[in-house]
Amino acid sequence: MYWLSGDKVSLLVDRLAEDYAVYGPRRDEVSGEVIFDRLNLLSRLDLQAAIPYNPPKYVLFPQYEEIIKYLYERQSRKVTIEKIDKLQPKALIGLRACDLTGILCLDRFFLGQEFVDEVYLEHRQKLFLISNTCVRPFPQCFCVCTDSGPAAREGFDLDLTFTGQGYLVLVGSRKGQRLVEEIGLQEAGPEAMARRKKIIDESVSSFDNFALENKAWISRATNRLTTGFIKPEVWEYIGNQCFECGACSFVCPTCSCFNVEDVNRMGGATDRVRTWDSCSFEGYTKMAGDHNPRKPVEDRRNKRFFCKLSYSQSKKYLRPGCVGCGRCARVCPGDIGLPNVVTYIRREITGE
Amino acid sequence: MSYYRGICNFCGTGCGHLLQVENNRVRGVYPLPGHPLSRGRLCVRGWHIHELLQTEERITRPMIKEGDSFRPVSYEEAIEFTASRLKNFRGREVACLGSPRASNEENYLFGKFARAVMKSNNLSLTSDAGLEESARILLEGCGFPAMTGSLSELRQAEFIMVVGGDLTKQNPIIASEIHFARRSGAFLATISPRKTQMARLSQKHLRPNPGTIWLLLEALARALQTEGLVKADYLDDKIENARQYLEYLDSLHLKQVSELTGVEEQEIILLARKFYESESAYVFYPVGIQSLDRRSMSALLNLFLLAGKPGRPAGGLCPVTGISNLLGSLDMGVSPAFLPGYFPADKEISWKRLEELWQVSLDRTPGQSAGSCLLENQSLRALLVVDHDEEIIRHINRIKELDFVVYFGAYQNAFAGLASVVFPRLSYVEEDGTYTNSERRVQLSQKKVEPPAGIRPLWETLSRLAGALGQPWPYKSAEDIMAEISRVVPQYSGLSYEKLRASPGIKWPVDDLHLSGTEYLLAEEAGCRFRFVFDRSPDRFQNISSVNEGRFPFKLVVGRSNYFWHQNSVMKRTFIPKREYNALLLLYPKGFVEISEEDARALGLREKQPVRIISEAAEIKLAARISPDILPGMLYIPYFIEEMISGFLHHQASDLEKNEEFFLPVRLEKVE
C-alpha cells in the first residue's frame, strides 16, 4: 500500500497522459452533473464527484465502432479485408467499484468463453484502470446487495481510497507497480490496510443513511426469478410501463449485446460496424420466417431481468449481472429500473 | 472522444443530450443529466441520433440540373443562376416550404426571403396545419398562441387529460413526465379511440368512436353545466360570450352523446366532476402531422375555460408538437396566417410594422400553404423548399410541371431529385441555432463538428441570394439573426445568444416583464378577457349521422408509429430504429391494417390474411393484423406505409394532415 497526497494527484495523471488518453469523471459546467469523459483538460478530473451519469463501458465497447473494413474488387474478383486502425491506449481514472465490476463482466462475455472478441481484447489490453473507493454511497446505489462495492477487490491496476487528506494506493498489477515507483510514491505504513478496511466498513454501514433511493431485496428476487414463479401479471404490469427505448441496456455497465451492420462508404469500401443493442426491442429477437420468441414487450422485459439477476445467468459472469449502480432507474422513462422491478417482485412475494 | 452538450433534434420535446465527438464525427449520444425537462432521459429515436449524424448521404455541393442529371457547381454559379431565374417570378407564382427541423434563425430568414424578396405570402411548413389552427384558437380564446402551461411543473400536477394521438409514441419523454406525475399522485385520463400505451398508463380511458372526440369534449362541458358546477355570474365577469356558449351547450343531451360516442353517460359525468374538482389541470393534445381538428381543439379550450382552469400553476392547455422546431418555425412566421411574432396577416397594422422593421415594401396578397398551392394554385411556377421529409413527394406530378424548384437540404433524398437547383445545408450539429420546443423553451444548440468542406450555412446562402436579387442583408452569423429576431418577434425580445449559452433554455415570452421567461400564462396579464370559441352550426350532428351507412361500415383511422413518422427520410439513416421498422415490414411487406378481435372473429379472419380495403375513391390490399387495441367497427393503418400515402390516401391526404379525427368510411373484404 502506498500514499498519494492530494496535491500529488496531478503528478500521477500527468504521467499517465504521456502514454494514455486519460478518461475520468468531470462535472458539466451548466448542470453540475458528473460525466465520465475523455479529459482534454486534465485539471477537469474530479475524484470527489459523485458516480458519473454514464458508465465507462463505452471506452472499451463503443456505442458505434467500425470493426473491419472490406473491399470487393470487381476486376480481380477478390475481397480484401482490413483490420481497423490500431486503437489508442487509454487510462480510466476514478472508476467506481461498480463500474470496474461491470468491466469484469464484459471480460467474461467477450473474452471468457469459447470465442475471444479480438476488437474488445485489443481495447482491453491497452487499458490502465484506477479505481476509487466510494467512501460514502450515493442515493441510487445498492452495490452492497450485488457484491460489487463500495470498494474494488480485483481487476484494477491501482486502487485509490480517500482518507480526507490524501489517497491510500493499493497496487493491483505489475503495470500499476511500475507507475507507483516511477512517480516515487512512499509506502503508506503498516496500518494502512486496516485503515482502508475501516473506511470501507464505515461506507457500508452508511448505506442506510445515504442510499435512500433504493431499498432493493435482491437476493429474494434472484431466487424468485430463477425459479420462474413470478406471475405473468407482474410482468404485464411492468411491460405496460416500458417505453421500449433501450436506455436500460445502454446505461448498464454489464450489458454487452450488440448489433452488426455493414455500411457502404463513399468510394466503394464497406465498414462492418458494431453498435449497442438492447433486448427491449422487438426486432432484437426476430428470426427469419416471422417467428419471434419474445414478441410482447413484457416477455422482453422479463428476459432482461432474468439476465441481470437469475442464478443461471450469474454462472456466466461468475457473479450477478447487476452491479448495483442504479443508472437504469435514472434513465428509464417508464420508472421500471431494476430496483423498482425488484420491489414489484417483492410485493408479489409478500402480498403487500 | 469527448461529450458535448446539445439538444435532440427529433420531436418537439427538445430533450437535452450529450454528443460524443471523435475526429470531427459524432460517434455516440447519451442523455444529458440535469436537463430541466428530459432529466437525463431519451427515447429510442434520441438514443440513435448519432447513427443518423454519421451518414455519408449528404448533399455536399451546389448542383444545377442539366437534363436528367446534376452538375456540381460553385456557390457563385449556383447563386447567379438561381437569382437570374427567381427574378422572373413574383408573389402568387412562388411558394416557399420551410422546415420544422430547421432552426429559428433559418426559418426566420427563409420567411423574410419569401415575403421581402419574393414578395410571396405562400409560405408554410408541411406539418403545421394543426399547430396553426391551435394557435388561432388559443389566441382567440385566451390571447396566447401556444402552450399556456409549462412541462417542468408537470410533476406537481393534480389532473392530467390526454386527448387523441399516443404521446408515448410521438413525444415519449413528455409522456414519461406524465407517467411520473401519475405515479406521484396525479389523476390521468386519456381520450382516444385506440387503446394506446398512454391509455394503458391512465386511470381512466374513454374510447369515443372515431370522429366523435369533439362531441365527447362538448359533452364534458355540458356535464359541468348539468351537474350545477357552472356559475353563470362568475363566467359573465371573466368571459365575453359566456351566455351564448351556455345556450349553445343547452341543446346538447348527454344521452344522445352517449349513443353517438359509445361512451357511458355516467363516465362522462364522473370525468367532468374529477376535472372540475382538481385544483389545476393539464390538458394535452397533439398538433403537427396529425392533430386534433378545429372543433375538438376549441371544445377543449371551452371546457378548460368553463371549468375555470386558466392562469393556475401546474396546469395548462398544452398542444404538443411532433417535430423539433415546429413551434419555433411558427413563431418565426413561416405561415400564411401569421407574420413573425403572431401578428395576424389579415391586419394592415401587422404589415406596416414589419415594413418599418425590415425597411422594405411588402405585398399584402393573402397567402396559402405550399401544399394548397400545389393542389389548387394554377398560377404557381416556382417552389423553394428547405430540408424535407419525403412527404411532399405525393405532389410529384404537379412539382414536375413547375418552371423552377430550389431545394436547400442536408441529406440526399427523393425530393432533391425534383429540384432545378440544389444547395447543401449544414446539419444541426455543424452550426449554431436556436430551437423552440412544445413548451416554448428556446434552446441554443451549439456547433460541435466542422461541416464537410465547402458547405456554407443556409443563412449565408439566403443572404447571398437576397443580395443577388437586390436586397443586401448584413448578417455575419446566426447570432446576428437572433439579434434581429429579438427586435421583430416580441416574444423573443429578451433573448440573446449570450443569455442562452449559459442556460438550459428559456421559455418565451422573454421580455421586459419576464426577464427569465414565462412558466405559465397569468390570467391577469393576458390583458384581454377570455372567449369561448365555437360555431353555432344549425345541426352539430350533421357529419356524424351521414357516416353510419351500410356500404362502408368501417371507420379507417391512420396513425403514426413510434419509429417512423410518415416515410421519414431521417429514420432510414439509422440502424436500430430502421430495424424495428423493417421488423414490421418484414412481417407485413405490403403494410397492414389493424382490426379488432371481435370483428376479425365475425369475419372469420386469421392473422396476416390478405384483405382488401375499399373506400369511395380507391382500394388497397393489405394483411390483417388482429389487435386488442382497436374498437370494433374501426380499422387502423400506421402512417408510414408508403403506398398508403401516395396511392390510397392520396385524395384525402390534406384532410388527414389537418386532423387526427380524420377517418375514412371503408369496407373490408377477404381476398380469396
Side-chain angles (χ1 to χ4, degrees):
Chain A
M1 191 91 87
Y2 293 84
W3 174 250
L4 175 70
S5 59
D7 56 344
K8 288 264 180 65
V9 172
S10 60
L11 195 70
L12 173 82
V13 179
D14 289 346
R15 175 65 194 89
L16 277 171
E18 289 172 23
D19 299 332
Y20 299 91
V22 177
Y23 289 71
R26 68 160 175 91
R27 281 179 217 264
D28 178 61
E29 309 90 316
V30 174
S31 61
E33 303 261 357
V34 185
I35 303 162
F36 198 88
D37 199 2
R38 169 82 193 266
L39 300 169
N40 295 320
L41 273 177
L42 297 174
S43 55
R44 299 289 301 278
L45 175 72
D46 187 347
L47 289 173
Q48 305 302 320
I51 175 173
Y53 199 67
N54 57 335
K57 171 169 85 170
Y58 72 95
V59 178
L60 58 168
F61 173 35
Q63 197 167 4
Y64 183 110
E65 180 179 36
E66 290 87 357
I67 48 179
I68 54 167
K69 183 188 275 302
Y70 63 88
L71 181 69
Y72 175 65
E73 305 272 4
R74 213 168 275 278
Q75 295 271 297
S76 58
R77 297 207 289 180
K78 278 202 176 112
V79 180
T80 47
I81 302 180
E82 268 174 57
K83 220 177 141 189
I84 301 288
D85 297 345
K86 280 188 126 182
L87 302 166
Q88 193 183 17
K90 302 178 188 93
L92 313 187
I93 306 187
L95 285 172
R96 296 298 175 181
C98 51
D99 288 338
L100 179 61
T101 311
I103 293 177
L104 301 182
C105 286
L106 293 179
D107 287 352
R108 290 291 302 169
F109 175 81
F110 284 110
L111 310 174
Q113 301 175 70
E114 193 180 352
F115 300 101
V116 168
D117 187 297
E118 282 184 29
V119 181
Y120 179 89
L121 181 65
E122 192 176 348
H123 278 294
R124 188 64 177 91
Q125 282 173 333
K126 292 177 173 172
L127 280 189
F128 194 100
L129 301 174
I130 303 183
S131 47
N132 184 16
T133 301
C134 299
V135 296
R136 212 184 87 176
F138 304 101
Q140 73 267 36
C141 298
F142 55 100
C143 58
V144 283
C145 306
T146 54
D147 191 29
S148 44
R153 277 200 298 261
E154 55 175 341
F156 50 81
D157 294 302
L158 294 176
D159 173 76
L160 309 179
T161 302
F162 189 60
T163 63
Q165 295 83 42
Y167 296 87
L168 295 166
V169 183
L170 197 58
V171 173
S173 71
R174 260 186 242 153
K175 251 196 303 192
Q177 183 67 38
R178 253 195 323 270
L179 185 76
V180 161
E181 285 166 12
E182 268 179 44
I183 59 171
L185 293 190
Q186 301 296 310
E187 291 275 355
E191 74 292 357
M193 219 51 195
R195 198 166 166 206
R196 180 175 184 266
K197 184 173 181 306
K198 185 162 173 278
I199 290 169
I200 296 167
D201 288 347
E202 277 169 12
S203 175
V204 170
S205 54
S206 69
F207 264 70
D208 274 348
N209 301 327
F210 295 114
L212 294 171
E213 282 178 24
N214 295 315
K215 297 282 183 209
W217 210 26
I218 302 284
S219 56
R220 276 302 291 278
T222 296
N223 187 313
R224 201 75 170 181
L225 270 157
T226 308
T227 54
F229 289 150
I230 296 163
K231 288 194 192 110
E233 299 84 75
V234 175
W235 291 120
E236 264 166 50
Y237 174 72
I238 293 164
N240 277 342
Q241 300 178 70
C242 177
F243 282 60
E244 299 174 63
C245 64
C248 48
S249 311
F250 301 150
V251 306
C252 181
T254 75
C255 269
S256 52
C257 287
F258 57 81
N259 180 35
V260 173
E261 290 268 344
D262 282 4
V263 186
N264 298 323
R265 301 294 187 197
M266 301 288 167
T270 301
D271 284 337
R272 175 152 298 174
V273 176
R274 163 151 80 191
T275 69
W276 290 352
D277 205 341
S278 168
C279 52
S280 63
F281 298 130
E282 189 180 340
Y284 175 84
T285 43
K286 210 176 110 53
M287 301 174 184
D290 292 354
H291 181 59
N292 195 339
R294 298 184 211 158
K295 196 167 157 34
V297 59
E298 56 267 24
D299 288 3
R300 286 177 256 143
R301 296 295 69 208
N302 163 337
K303 284 298 165 206
R304 177 160 199 278
F305 296 108
F306 188 82
C307 189
K308 293 297 128 186
L309 290 180
S310 75
Y311 285 135
S312 25
Q313 203 68 18
S314 301
K315 277 195 269 178
K316 195 172 87 183
Y317 299 121
L318 305 179
R319 52 154 292 106
C322 172
V323 295
C325 68
R327 289 191 181 94
C328 52
R330 294 227 156 164
V331 296
C332 180
D335 204 12
I336 44 166
L338 188 132
N340 269 357
V341 167
V342 168
T343 303
Y344 300 145
I345 295 173
R346 180 186 72 193
R347 278 191 202 151
E348 195 215 0
I349 301 172
T350 59
E352 273 170 40
Chain B
M1 187 148 70
S2 289
Y3 283 106
Y4 297 91
R5 248 178 311 118
I7 298 128
C8 186
N9 196 236
F10 279 129
C11 78
T13 310
C15 296
H17 65 191
L18 290 160
L19 289 180
Q20 188 188 50
V21 179
E22 184 186 16
N23 299 330
N24 202 43
R25 287 173 71 196
V26 177
R27 304 283 290 176
V29 62
Y30 205 84
L32 175 69
H35 186 272
L37 171 57
S38 60
R39 304 176 204 238
R41 287 161 299 170
L42 290 173
C43 71
V44 64
R45 293 182 291 247
W47 267 107
H48 295 95
I49 201 163
H50 62 296
E51 294 178 353
L52 162 71
L53 291 170
Q54 296 208 61
T55 180
E56 293 190 349
E57 294 171 24
R58 289 288 297 274
I59 296 169
T60 52
R61 297 191 62 179
M63 296 181 292
I64 295 176
K65 191 174 222 171
E66 286 176 357
D68 283 337
S69 62
F70 283 96
R71 181 169 62 90
V73 296
S74 65
Y75 266 94
E76 287 70 30
E77 186 178 346
I79 281 166
E80 199 180 310
F81 172 72
T82 307
S84 73
R85 298 297 313 275
L86 284 181
K87 241 180 7 214
N88 307 320
F89 314 109
R90 274 295 172 278
R92 268 177 63 74
E93 296 171 337
V94 183
C96 300
L97 190 60
S99 167
R101 287 185 204 286
S103 66
N104 288 321
E105 291 77 3
E106 290 171 310
N107 272 300
Y108 171 80
L109 223 54
F110 186 65
K112 185 171 178 178
F113 189 84
R115 296 196 204 272
V117 181
M118 302 311 299
K119 310 287 181 202
S120 170
N121 295 316
N122 296 330
L123 172 64
S124 71
L125 306 154
T126 27
S127 30
D128 69 327
L131 179 65
E132 193 184 278
E133 193 73 73
S134 159
R136 263 198 225 109
I137 291 166
L138 291 176
L139 270 175
E140 194 182 336
C142 61
F144 193 73
M147 190 181 284
T148 68
S150 142
L151 298 173
S152 26
E153 291 179 320
L154 243 172
R155 293 199 189 181
Q156 286 99 58
E158 208 178 298
F159 178 97
I160 302 169
M161 185 159 84
V162 182
V163 184
D166 184 359
L167 278 185
T168 58
K169 303 287 182 261
Q170 291 162 27
N171 297 67
I173 299 306
I174 294 179
S176 169
E177 277 298 288
I178 294 175
H179 178 53
F180 274 86
R182 188 191 70 83
R183 286 176 59 76
S184 43
F187 181 85
L188 173 59
T190 293
I191 294 182
S192 77
R194 283 195 76 208
K195 193 167 174 189
T196 57
Q197 186 178 11
M198 201 74 245
R200 285 199 187 88
L201 295 172
S202 306
Q203 283 102 321
K204 180 56 76 189
H205 177 205
L206 300 190
R207 300 180 79 175
N209 292 322
T212 63
I213 288 182
W214 67 272
L215 183 58
L216 181 59
L217 294 171
E218 285 195 348
L220 285 168
R222 172 68 181 150
L224 288 177
Q225 206 184 10
T226 57
E227 292 294 293
L229 304 175
V230 172
K231 294 175 194 70
D233 300 347
Y234 162 85
L235 281 179
D236 268 347
D237 190 40
K238 294 253 178 199
I239 305 178
E240 283 178 29
N241 54 352
R243 298 268 162 193
Q244 292 91 316
Y245 181 65
L246 290 175
E247 274 166 33
Y248 169 76
L249 281 183
D250 272 341
S251 60
L252 197 64
H253 301 289
L254 290 184
K255 202 162 177 302
Q256 194 184 3
V257 171
S258 173
E259 275 163 27
L260 289 164
T261 58
V263 178
E264 302 265 341
E265 198 178 331
Q266 205 48 41
E267 296 272 16
I268 300 174
I269 293 169
L270 279 176
L271 186 60
R273 277 203 161 272
K274 195 85 195 169
F275 183 56
Y276 176 79
E277 283 159 10
S278 62
E279 185 54 42
S280 63
Y282 274 102
V283 171
F284 287 91
Y285 59 98
V287 292
I289 309 285
Q290 273 185 297
S291 139
L292 286 187
D293 63 332
R294 182 178 164 79
R295 273 205 293 192
S296 305
M297 286 195 266
S298 20
L300 206 48
L301 166 87
N302 297 339
L303 176 65
F304 201 74
L305 294 180
L306 192 68
K309 300 298 181 204
R312 300 194 191 170
L317 271 167
C318 304
V320 179
T321 53
I323 299 180
S324 56
N325 199 33
L326 185 54
L327 180 61
S329 311
L330 191 63
D331 297 345
M332 296 303 116
V334 182
S335 148
F338 299 111
L339 305 186
Y342 295 94
F343 291 94
D346 54 10
K347 293 261 162 47
E348 175 56 23
I349 190 167
S350 314
W351 292 101
K352 278 254 155 57
R353 175 182 178 275
L354 199 57
E355 281 181 331
E356 213 156 279
L357 284 162
W358 282 354
Q359 291 293 307
V360 63
S361 71
L362 298 168
D363 189 302
R364 268 78 159 162
T365 317
Q368 279 180 301
S369 75
S372 317
C373 286
L374 287 165
L375 276 176
E376 299 158 14
N377 177 353
Q378 289 311 314
S379 50
L380 185 69
R381 293 173 63 203
L383 178 66
L384 283 76
V385 178
V386 179
D387 234 3
H388 248 280
D389 293 335
E390 291 160 20
E391 199 194 350
I392 192 178
I393 282 285
R394 65 163 188 270
H395 300 294
I396 186 162
N397 293 329
R398 180 71 182 103
I399 292 170
K400 280 180 180 161
E401 288 168 13
L402 299 177
D403 293 338
F404 196 60
V405 178
V406 188
Y407 184 66
F408 307 89
Y411 302 108
Q412 295 168 12
N413 71 9
F415 185 82
L418 297 174
S420 325
V421 185
V422 175
F423 285 97
R425 200 188 137 236
L426 300 175
S427 84
Y428 86 100
V429 288
E430 294 162 351
E431 167 69 343
D432 290 354
T434 60
Y435 298 82
T436 307
N437 79 351
S438 290
E439 59 163 349
R440 303 170 273 108
R441 184 187 294 274
V442 185
Q443 306 189 84
L444 175 62
S445 166
Q446 286 175 286
K447 177 175 172 174
K448 292 171 190 66
V449 298
E450 287 301 323
I455 304 186
R456 306 304 307 157
L458 179 64
W459 59 261
E460 190 185 304
T461 307
L462 287 173
S463 300
R464 288 172 71 178
L465 273 175
L469 288 161
Q471 287 188 32
W473 285 351
Y475 315 109
K476 295 274 178 294
S477 66
E479 189 169 359
D480 280 356
I481 301 165
M482 180 45 84
E484 181 171 316
I485 291 173
S486 70
R487 290 194 297 274
V488 175
V489 177
Q491 293 87 342
Y492 286 56
S493 61
L495 281 175
S496 66
Y497 272 34
E498 197 192 340
K499 224 166 161 179
L500 287 167
R501 268 185 206 110
S503 91
I506 307 177
K507 282 170 257 187
W508 67 253
V510 193
D511 50 29
D512 292 344
L513 290 174
H514 315 86
L515 286 171
S516 49
T518 307
E519 286 296 315
Y520 61 93
L521 167 73
L522 289 166
E524 60 271 25
E525 265 183 34
C528 71
R529 280 153 56 100
F530 296 117
R531 274 187 74 83
F532 289 112
V533 180
F534 61 103
D535 304 319
R536 258 182 297 179
S537 59
D539 180 8
R540 49 155 69 93
F541 302 124
Q542 212 170 11
N543 293 331
I544 292 188
S545 43
S546 63
V547 169
N548 297 322
E549 276 149 357
R551 256 179 1 116
F552 300 109
F554 282 101
K555 292 173 178 176
L556 173 68
V557 176
V558 181
R560 292 204 262 206
S561 126
N562 195 358
Y563 305 107
F564 264 70
W565 299 328
H566 22 133
Q567 315 143 55
N568 200 323
S569 57
V570 175
M571 278 299 143
K572 283 177 187 163
R573 297 191 166 88
T574 62
F575 301 149
I576 299 280
K578 184 181 68 184
R579 180 189 71 194
E580 296 304 306
Y581 164 65
N582 282 341
L584 270 180
L585 274 198
L586 285 173
L587 267 173
Y588 304 94
K590 291 261 163 84
F592 59 85
V593 53
E594 288 190 353
I595 181 166
S596 70
E597 286 165 337
E598 293 88 339
D599 286 333
R601 214 175 304 124
L603 290 162
L605 279 181
R606 283 173 289 108
E607 182 77 7
K608 297 198 191 74
Q609 186 167 353
V611 293
R612 196 175 286 121
I613 308 289
I614 301 159
S615 76
E616 193 90 43
E619 67 172 75
I620 186 173
K621 211 170 102 177
L622 295 163
R625 191 182 194 215
I626 299 164
S627 163
D629 303 343
I630 304 290
L631 278 175
M634 182 177 155
L635 300 173
Y636 175 85
I637 301 187
Y639 196 33
F640 63 73
I641 296 163
E642 189 171 349
E643 199 190 330
M644 285 291 307
I645 301 164
S646 51
F648 185 64
L649 282 172
H650 180 79
H651 306 285
Q652 286 85 13
S654 50
D655 294 332
L656 166 69
E657 232 164 71
K658 283 190 197 116
N659 175 358
E660 136 81 42
E661 280 268 77
F662 167 84
F663 66 86
L664 194 62
V666 295
R667 75 170 172 270
L668 181 145
E669 289 173 359
K670 279 197 265 188
V671 177
E672 298 302 337

